[in-house]
Amino acid sequence: MMRSTLLIITVPKLEDNTSFLVMEFARMYEPFFNLHSKPFDLLPDPRFIYLSKSHKKALTYLDYGIMERSGFVLLTGEVGSGKTTLIRDLLDKRYEHVVVSKIFNTRVTSEQLLAMVNEDFGLAVRGKDKVSLIRELNEFLIEQYADGTQPVLIIDEAQNLSAELLEEVRMLSNLEAANSKLLQIILVGQPELRTTLAAPELRQLRQRININCHLQALTRAEIEEYIVHRLEVAGNAEAVHFSSDSFDAIFLYSRGIPRLINIICDFLMLSAFADETTLITIGMIHEVIGDLDFENYYWTTTADEQMSRQDNSLLSKPMPELQCLLADMLQRIESIEHTLDSQLLAAHKEQNESFASFQATILSHIETAHSNYMDLTGKIGNLTDTVHSLHNGVTSPDKSNRYSGHQSIVFNDTSSPPK
C-alpha cells in the first residue's frame, strides 16, 4: 500500500509541496542503496555520460569538427536522447585556443539572437542596434583570428529557429578572413530541424554543413549497460538487481531514449526503497508504468493509436514471453547487420585485391608489349641498315670491276682449250 501511495503522489502535474516530498524521498533512498548521488537525475551531467555506439560516433564527429574548423556542424536527436549532455561534455574538454558562445534559448528575434551571441563572447550589448552588434562581432572575430584563437558558436534547441533566423545564422558564417572562416557554428536540435533545413530557401545553409550526425536510440544491450553505468557512477553498481525480463520491459516502454530510461528507473528506485528491496521485477515496472500513465504522458499518440492500444493488450499487460521474443528479434537483427557489414567489408577488400592484381597483370602485359616493341624496332633498324648497305654495295665502282672481271673470265673460258 505504501508503494502505491508513493507512486501516485509523484505523478507529474502535482502541487509544489508534493514535488518537495518526492525530492525528500529521493534523498532518503540514496543512503539506503549506498549511493552518494542520484543515479537517474534528469539534469544533463557529463559525469554520467554513457557513450553508446551512436553517441561515441557523434562525439567523435563534434570533436573532429572543432579541431579541424569544419565550418557548420549539425547534430540532431530525439527529445531526451542526450544531445545537451554531449554538448556539455564537449565544453568540459576546454580546448586550447578555442572560445565558445553557447545559446540555449532560441525563441528569440534576430536582434536578440545576435545580442546573446555577443554577450556570451564577452562583448557589451546594452543599447546596441543590430548593425552595431554585427560590426562589433566582426571586429571581435578578427581579433581572435589574429591571436590564433578559434571562436565557436553552439546553438542548442535550434529546431525552434525559423527559416529566417537560420538564414541570419548562415550570414554570420560569412564573416571571414582572406583564407579562413572566422566563426565555426554547431547547430543542435530535434529531428524537426532537418525538416526546416530541407526548405528550398535554406539550400545555401545545407551546402555549408560539413559534418552531419544523428543520435540513435539505445539498443536493448546498451540499455542494460547504461543503467549499470549510471549506478556505478552514483556510487554502487550493485545497488539494485534487475530480473532479465525487466530490461526488456524498460527497453519496450522507453524505446531506448535515455531521459525516459532515467524517469522509469528513478521511480523504480523509489518503489524498491518503499518495499525495502533491492530486486526490480517485471511486476514493479508495469505498476510504475501504469501509475505514471507513461504512454499517454510521455509519448504523443493519435486517436487511432490509442484505439489500437485499447484493443490490443500487448502493451497494457505483463507479457514477458513477448518482450523476450522482441528482444531476441532485435539482437538477431543486430547480429545480421553485423554479419552483413563484415561480409560487405570482406567483399570490398577482395574486390580491391582483385582489382590490384588485375591492374598489376595489365601493367606487366604493357611492359612486355613495350619491350617487344622496342626489340622489334631495333630489329627493323638493323634490317634497314643492312638493306641500305647492300644497296650501296651494288652501285659501287669496285663491284662494277668485279663484274667486268667476271665477264673477262667468262670470255677466257669460252676461248680455245689450252694446249
Side-chain angles (χ1 to χ4, degrees), residues 7 264 267-268 271 283-293:
L7 292 174
I264 293 173
F267 277 91
L268 286 174
S271 181
M284 292 171 64
I285 293 176
H286 285 293
E287 187 172 349
V288 166
I289 294 299
D291 288 338
L292 290 176
D293 193 18

Side-chain angles (χ1 to χ4, degrees), residues 363-382:
L363 290 175
S364 176
H365 285 314
I366 291 174
E367 290 176 358
T368 301
H370 180 71
S371 177
N372 292 338
Y373 170 76
M374 295 302 295
D375 185 55
L376 181 61
T377 301
K379 289 180 178 180
I380 291 174
N382 293 337

Side-chain angles (χ1 to χ4, degrees), residues 134 137 315 322 365:
I134 294 177
L137 176 60
L315 294 180
L322 176 61
H365 285 314

